[in-house]
Amino acid sequence: MGETDSMTDHNSSAGGVGGGQPSGQGGQFGPAGHADSQHAQAHAQHSQQTPQSQQQVSAPYGYQDGHPAPPQQSSDAARAQVAAAWVRTARPGNVPPAEAAVPVLPPRVNQPAGGSKKDQRKAAQEAKRAERKAAYEQKKAERDGRKQGRGSQAPAPAPAPIPGPAPIPAQTAAGAPASGRPAPRTGAPARAGAAAGAGFDVPRPGGRLPAQGRSTHVALRATLLITTCVFALGSCGVAGLVIGKSSVAVQSADLNDKEVARYRLTEFPTQAAATFAEEYVTLCMTYSPQTADKRRNALTRYTSAGVDRDCGITGQGTQSVRQANWDGTIEELPEYGANGRYLGIQVKLSTGRITTLSVPVYVKDPATGTGLRIAGDVGEMPLASRGSVPTVKRDDEEVDQTLSNQLKEKVLPGYFKAWAASDTTGLTRFTSTDASQSATTGLAGALASPEVQEVVAIAPAGTEPNATITYGQGQTVQARVTVVWGGSAAPAKGTPAPTTTVKRSYRLTVVNTAQGWFIKDIRGGVLDPTGGSADAGATAPAAPEENPPAVGDGTAPAPSGAPAASGAPKTP
């Protein structure tokens, strides 16, 4: 009986005070002192009862005699409540297996066979409800334990292992446990203290931030979003201002009067008007007494009604035009604006005289160049003045006389001979592999008998006077060459070879190789460094020809509509 008294009263209801608890400890309900006295009285009475009286059920622990006891629960419900109470009082966190305490559950009592089906269903429902509550309490306790472990700076000390059945602490009148251990539902204050000590809560991976952290995060995201929108709007505004300003600042492509005069741009059909004026001047300056009437009729097809039909020429004599060309001068005709111009026509007469005529020309349609007319009488003007050529300074130019003599004696005579005859085989011996087309083509017999008269090889820039010059392979040198040709290589059949000689100047580029000097390029013409003008101070006109040819004598072409000269055969 002593062992029985010291163990848990398995026959008592789990819902009663002290149910599932060792003897001498208060239950979850009622005052602790009252429960201890009642438990002692029950223990004395139980020890004096006979075996028959032991089958009687005494009042539950914690209740006085005559107090109605709570309804008896099924064994499954009692076991579930004991387990739930154990979970609430168990230490949170990971507990070593050696220190784990397992609660002693009440024995499972099968429902008597005589119970009704209604009672059985009710008991089953209560058992399931208790199981769900126990599972919920267990999950809640685990969650509270995890939160307490994260919020506290140091882990709580592990309680001493509890041997035997797990006790359920009795509550005092104030609600605090009588055993002195911490209350099972104190997770919220512990978490608050831990958070105050740590300064902030760190959420688990994938968890949500605390209330303060969430607000800060939302504010940060809102700030970033607003900043991005403001920056985008500002960029769009700046781009719009730049595009609008550039579109407004587009300058017109129109040219001013100075640019038009500088580049001689005009909508007037200058070429068509110049050709028309050249034809008219040719008829005007060609005359003969025998063809006066035909000449007059031809001129009227060019001029307006008030223009002199004889082009201002009366009297006797014969004259013809050898050449009439527009000299490039043009002057606006103010009375007709864009439809009229004064054009300068240079004329070379059969007498050898050269003069210039200013001819007023009208164009009805400048866009197409049609409706041309000579709108007035011509005027004879002096020749356009010619300028002087400036002098070219060659003071800093050094001549390599050694190379000049070498080219004149060994290279250029053979090259010009092959070049005059377009001898491909001979040219290969004197030209480089990358020679230009003009250096490898030749004159094809137009000139022959070349004689190299002068060669001037220009030394590289920076060469000191009278210094020995050394050339590397692949280095090029410019040279000025004067050649005297004896005439054509193939004169006409039956005619003697010409004795006239011509002097021509060339600019050559020679290149130094391991085999010697070779011709890379040749170009015609050499600049005269003297400059100036050869006719400076000369005022006397050119002497006329002794026997100027008459119109139609075969030496000068007769203009259209001009009559043939006397004595020449007439065409029907």
Side-chain angles (χ1 to χ4, degrees), residues 251-316:
Q251 297 181 356
S252 176
D254 296 339
L255 301 176
N256 53 32
D257 296 339
K258 292 183 179 180
E259 293 174 339
V260 171
R262 177 181 179 183
Y263 299 105
R264 305 181 67 178
L265 302 176
T266 179
E267 297 179 356
F268 186 80
T270 306
Q271 191 60 44
T275 302
F276 186 78
E278 291 171 0
E279 295 176 357
Y280 175 75
V281 169
T282 301
L283 288 173
C284 176
M285 301 300 289
T286 302
Y287 58 89
S288 174
Q290 292 81 5
T291 60
D293 296 336
K294 293 182 178 181
R295 173 177 172 271
R296 186 179 300 110
N297 294 333
L299 290 172
T300 56
R301 294 197 297 268
Y302 288 86
T303 62
S304 59
V307 177
D308 188 355
R309 296 188 175 185
D310 292 324
C311 195
I313 298 177
T314 59
Q316 303 297 321

Side-chain angles (χ1 to χ4, degrees), residues 102-128:
V102 181
V104 179
L105 302 179
R108 188 184 304 275
V109 179
N110 296 331
Q111 186 71 19
S116 63
K117 293 183 178 180
K118 181 177 180 181
D119 295 338
Q120 294 179 359
R121 288 195 301 271
K122 185 176 180 180
Q125 292 176 359
E126 292 179 355
K128 292 181 180 179

Side-chain angles (χ1 to χ4, degrees), residues 394 399 403-409 411-417 419 450-458 477-485 502-510 519 521-527:
R394 293 179 175 176
V399 178
L403 179 58
S404 301
N405 297 334
Q406 182 180 355
L407 295 174
K408 181 179 180 180
E409 296 174 0
V411 180
L412 298 181
Y415 170 73
F416 278 105
K417 183 177 181 181
W419 189 66
E451 180 183 352
V452 179
Q453 188 179 56
E454 184 182 7
V455 177
V456 178
I458 310 302
V477 175
Q478 304 295 324
R480 297 189 293 266
V481 181
T482 302
V483 181
V484 177
W485 300 93
V502 293
K503 184 171 66 173
R504 298 291 181 259
S505 298
Y506 303 93
R507 292 166 290 140
L508 273 70
T509 302
V510 294
I519 310 301
D521 188 23
I522 182 172
R523 298 179 182 274
V526 173
L527 180 66

Side-chain angles (χ1 to χ4, degrees), residues 79-90:
R79 291 166 62 88
Q81 289 188 2
V82 171
W86 165 258
V87 170
R88 287 196 299 270
T89 59

Side-chain angles (χ1 to χ4, degrees), residues 215-267:
S215 60
T216 304
H217 186 60
V218 171
L220 178 60
R221 287 191 295 180
T223 303
L224 292 177
L225 180 60
I226 294 173
T227 304
T228 304
C229 295
V230 171
F231 181 76
L233 292 176
S235 301
C236 294
V238 173
L241 291 176
V242 171
I243 295 174
K245 184 177 180 180
S246 61
S247 61
V248 172
V250 173
Q251 297 181 356
S252 176
D254 296 339
L255 301 176
N256 53 32
D257 296 339
K258 292 183 179 180
E259 293 174 339
V260 171
R262 177 181 179 183
Y263 299 105
R264 305 181 67 178
L265 302 176
T266 179
E267 297 179 356

Side-chain angles (χ1 to χ4, degrees), residues 433-450:
T433 55
D434 58 344
S436 63
Q437 183 179 3
S438 59
T440 57
T441 303
L443 299 177
L447 295 175
S449 303

